[in-house]
């Protein structure tokens, strides 16, 4: 994928995500509405972006975009990261159950300090993060917004 194609894919994803974020800001969203109105559409955007870029992991995505010298690609990446920060900020407003003192930050390479219980939003099946990751050979596109599934 050349720099212009890469830029076009990133701009398209950014525009769609920006529209989703604006729609979420304009319409009051209850916690239960979040998966269907925010997560699933955003995941679909990233899935399409990854397919267009012929990557399957976040690491491969980062490698591809960081190895381009195209100034427009770098500019849209910066905007995309700002947009992701705006998403995170909005999500804190629809998750009043998460207090600042309850947040735990885990950096890459660190072990998760406690079991992370998960509930499949579609089936209601309960599991934990360790079991989920160790039970499947499938790579996960993203384990995004994990706290909403726990």
């Amino acid at each position: 994928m050349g720099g212009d194609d890469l830029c076009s894919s990133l701009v398209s994803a950014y525009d769609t995500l920006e529209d989703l974020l604006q729609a979420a800001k304009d319409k009051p969203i209850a916690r239960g509405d979040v998966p269907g109105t925010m997560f699933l559409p955003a995941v679909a955007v990233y899935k399409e972006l990854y397919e267009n870029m012929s990557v399957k992991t976040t690491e491969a995505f980062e490698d591809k975009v960081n190895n381009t010298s195209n100034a427009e690609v770098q500019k849209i990446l910066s905007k995309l990261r700002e947009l992701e920060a705006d998403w995170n900020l909005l999500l804190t407003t629809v998750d009043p159950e998460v207090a600042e003192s309850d947040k735990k930050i885990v950096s890459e390479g660190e072990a998760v300090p406690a079991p992370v219980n998960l509930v499949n939003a579609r089936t209601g099946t309960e599991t934990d993060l360790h079991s989920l990751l160790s039970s499947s050979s499938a790579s996960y596109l993203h384990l995004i917004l994990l706290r909403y599934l726990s």
Side-chain angles (χ1 to χ4, degrees):
M1 175 176 264
D4 290 339
D5 292 335
L6 181 58
C7 190
S8 176
S9 291
L10 289 167
V11 167
S12 177
Y14 174 84
D15 289 343
T16 304
L17 290 168
E18 185 178 44
D19 290 345
L20 287 170
L21 177 60
Q22 191 57 51
K25 286 180 177 179
D26 292 343
K27 177 185 170 204
I29 295 178
R31 185 172 193 258
D33 296 333
V34 170
T37 59
M38 294 172 73
F39 297 166
L40 296 178
V43 168
V45 171
Y46 279 102
K47 180 179 184 283
E48 181 180 342
L49 176 62
Y50 278 34
E51 287 172 352
N52 290 343
M53 293 176 61
S54 300
V55 297
K56 295 186 185 227
T57 66
T58 301
E59 182 178 275
F61 169 81
E62 292 291 336
D63 285 346
K64 190 169 254 190
V65 296
N66 289 332
N67 287 324
T68 181
S69 58
N70 185 311
E72 289 301 312
V73 168
Q74 296 306 317
K75 182 178 175 183
I76 193 66
L77 275 177
S78 177
K79 289 176 69 174
L80 187 58
R81 289 182 179 121
E82 288 175 22
L83 185 66
E84 288 173 351
D86 288 346
W87 268 101
N88 289 340
L89 184 60
L90 176 67
L91 291 173
T92 62
T93 67
V94 295
D95 190 3
E97 296 172 11
V98 176
E100 283 295 321
S101 61
D102 290 342
K103 292 183 181 179
K104 295 176 180 69
I105 298 173
V106 179
S107 298
E108 184 175 345
E110 292 180 346
V112 177
V116 178
N117 296 318
L118 305 172
V119 176
N120 184 312
R122 289 189 179 141
T123 65
T125 305
E126 295 184 20
T127 188
D128 62 75
L129 180 61
H130 183 305
S131 297
L132 177 69
L133 295 175
S134 63
S135 69
S136 175
S137 62
S139 62
Y140 289 88
L141 177 62
H142 286 287
L143 283 175
I144 54 173
L145 309 169
L146 193 56
R147 66 182 172 175
Y148 288 97
L149 301 177
S150 61

